[in-house]
Every structure is written in C-alpha cells, then in structure tokens.
Amino acid sequence: MDEIYHPPVKRSVEIAGHKTSISLEPLFWELLNDVAQREALPLNAVIAQIDAERLEADTPPGLATAVRLWLVADLLKPPGEE
C-alpha cells in the first residue's frame, strides 16, 4: 500500500514537437501506460491528446493536473464506453 504514496516522478515528454516535463506519482504513470497500451498509442500521443483537451477548457488546469483528472474520468467511464 505504501507505493501509492510515492512522491511524484518527473519525466520528459514531447507534445506537438515541444519537449516538456511532467511530475506525476508512479500510479498515474502506470495508468497512463495502461491507456497507451489499450489505445495502441505512444505515451506522448496520449499526453498530447489530454493536453489538447485541457486547452479547450474555459480555465485550463496545468498539464499534470489535467492528466490526473483525465485518468480519473477515464476510470469512471462505464465499461465499453471509450
């Protein structure tokens, strides 16, 4: 159970040709990798999709927050709804 309380880990990603870094807890990195595998997309492509969606929001959150929120929303989707 302690591993879910691991501090954030910073990783470099590339979004729309620009390099940036994101700090997320390992649990969120695991969930992102699961989504990437499920969708048969590179991890950077999944993050780029989340980034594009967050920028359409009236008050866009930071990228790390957007990733966390998107992953929770993805987990809450009813089975079969993608």
Side-chain angles (χ1 to χ4, degrees):
M1 189 62 136
D2 286 342
E3 54 271 357
I4 68 168
Y5 298 110
H6 192 284
V9 174
K10 185 181 275 193
R11 295 196 183 162
S12 296
V13 296
E14 191 170 319
I15 303 170
H18 300 285
K19 291 187 179 190
T20 189
S21 61
I22 306 174
S23 292
L24 296 170
E25 295 75 10
L27 177 62
F28 289 107
W29 285 116
E30 287 179 37
L31 292 171
L32 269 174
N33 282 318
D34 291 348
V35 170
Q37 287 182 345
R38 181 185 77 209
E39 301 294 328
L41 292 170
L43 185 64
N44 285 345
V46 174
I47 295 170
Q49 287 178 352
I50 296 168
D51 185 49
E53 287 181 23
R54 85 174 171 103
L55 292 174
E56 293 177 8
D58 290 336
T59 53
L63 182 57
T65 299
V67 168
R68 289 183 189 98
L69 293 171
W70 188 95
L71 287 167
V72 170
D74 184 65
L75 287 172
L76 294 174
K77 286 180 187 173
E81 183 183 310
E82 305 256 335

